Amino acid sequence: MTVREYDLIVIGGGPVGENVADRAVQGGLSTVLVESELVGGECSYWACIPSKAMLRPAAALRAARDVKGAAAAVTGELDVAAVLARRDEFVHDWDDTSQVTWLQGAGIDLVRGHGRLTSEREVTVTGADGAETVLAARHAVVVSTGSAALLPDIPGLRDVQPWTSRDATGVREVPASLAILGGGVVGSEMATLFTGFGIPVTVIARSGLLRGTEPFAGEAVTKALRDAGADVRTGVEVERAERDAGGDVVLTLSDGSEVRAAEVLVATGRVPRTDDIGLDVVGLAPGSWLDVDDTLRVRGVDWLYAVGDVNHRALLTHQGKYQGRAAGDVIAARARGRAVDDRPWGAHVATADHAAVPQVVFTDPEVAAVGHTEASATKAGLDVRVVDYDLYWVSGASEVADHYTGQARAIIDEQRHVLVGATFVGQDVGELLHSATIAIVGEVPIERLWHAVPSYPTISEVWLRLLEAYGRPSPE
């Protein structure tokens, strides 16, 4: 059997794997990408891109209805068929031709099929026709296979053939009703989406919505969903699932009540796609998360790296791409015998996923957060001050919507006088987030932030209001 040799093998052709491969090629390494589905991965075809493409029309409609003058022009309801067609355009009808063309232009080879580690620095790829291709890496192998939906161990749940996030974002026909298990980002966004489609939606979230964010964020999304007609049930969990004679799913809850829906979406967490990639070759348990250092190298295996969801550091596309760029640079440097700058501020290491992870949740209202919450800062032992501001009182917000509601929170480290966390809730707040991220990552002193003057009238003026609420130190 012929063995094809490369400097680097990347298993997984999503945006994270693409970034690893691209940086490695730029560093002078020959690189091959192994992909069993579509080049571009989960984000491009089943997650970030299609979900946001479908969420935007309803958000635009809500925004227009909350501005006098524009509201009078809105005479119809959401065109669901057009929304799905828009989604199809964004995912190119699930065709990855353009992504493959990009790979070719970047000098990255592609082998389609399922890749498994079969020896040290060796990956065997099994194609759809059963044919095997053996790849050997001179320097490194990167695992970038992502994660899949977790299916909880609830009696009868597998038998009812529940939806995962892929089914929800790839929906062809909107069901008559939908039950959603889980109140995290996926559950909350999909509840927003399908409520916007005008169908009955029931959300079952034992610990409430968006746990892990500031409490006011989950409370605002819960209220908005209920105001839009969704049934949000908290403090209960599903004990049993079955389909009745009419085909509906019947969920029995821990309080004795029942929920009926045409379909049920499970959004209760993620598991790594590492169960069938040959981890036993390196003495690791199949199906496990991969523990890595800040250079993204798997601990204990000097030639194996793991980037993106599989290392469980931050299950977000932008953080995975950041890791991918760092890993590609590290692998290229080590392959060339160059020293790797592994200091916390070094160019070759990934540290932004420790305490400065930004995320926008595209619910109604939007939730944008980075860094610590009040609870996490307190748990970390930081001496912090919490500053809140009602976005209603920001002039730019009233320009955006006639009935704007929202809240901003800044978490300030009183010892260092720097921002360590920020959360914004409200329409269009996602565009506020990068300024907070820069302030946190750059450790910009609060005194310097007074000189970062926000433009007027924009929602960004909230930065001035937060600083005023915090108070400027008196001259010594």
Side-chain angles (χ1 to χ4, degrees), residues 167-247:
D167 298 293
T169 59
V171 64
R172 292 294 189 182
E173 294 185 9
V174 176
S177 55
L178 180 67
I180 300 174
L181 276 58
V185 173
V186 172
S188 298
E189 288 189 347
M190 291 301 99
T192 301
L193 174 65
F194 283 91
T195 299
F197 284 168
I199 68 169
V201 172
T202 303
V203 182
I204 303 160
R206 180 179 58 186
S207 302
L209 301 190
L210 301 179
R211 184 181 64 172
T213 62
E214 296 287 6
F216 65 82
E219 292 165 4
V221 174
T222 299
K223 181 181 184 304
L225 282 171
R226 285 173 172 162
D227 288 348
D231 180 4
V232 182
R233 304 195 187 191
T234 61
V236 294
E237 54 190 329
V238 178
E239 293 189 336
R240 187 173 66 255
E242 60 183 345
R243 283 199 184 268
D244 63 17

Side-chain angles (χ1 to χ4, degrees), residues 406-446:
Q407 184 174 345
R409 170 169 289 181
I411 310 294
I412 298 169
D413 184 334
E414 291 287 73
Q415 297 299 313
R416 295 184 295 138
H417 297 288
V418 296
L419 187 73
V420 292
T423 298
F424 307 96
V425 176
Q427 184 181 329
D428 297 340
V429 295
E431 299 306 327
L432 291 173
L433 194 58
H434 197 55
S435 53
T437 304
I438 291 172
I440 292 172
V441 173
E443 299 182 345
V444 181
I446 294 297

Side-chain angles (χ1 to χ4, degrees), residues 241-256:
E242 60 183 345
R243 283 199 184 268
D244 63 17
D248 282 348
V249 177
V250 181
L251 303 174
T252 302
L253 307 187
S254 55
D255 63 358

Side-chain angles (χ1 to χ4, degrees), residues 265-288:
L265 165 63
V266 176
T268 53
R270 308 288 292 179
V271 294
R273 286 184 174 143
T274 60
D275 57 316
D276 189 24
I277 61 168
L279 287 185
D280 52 307
V281 168
V282 293
L284 297 175
S288 62

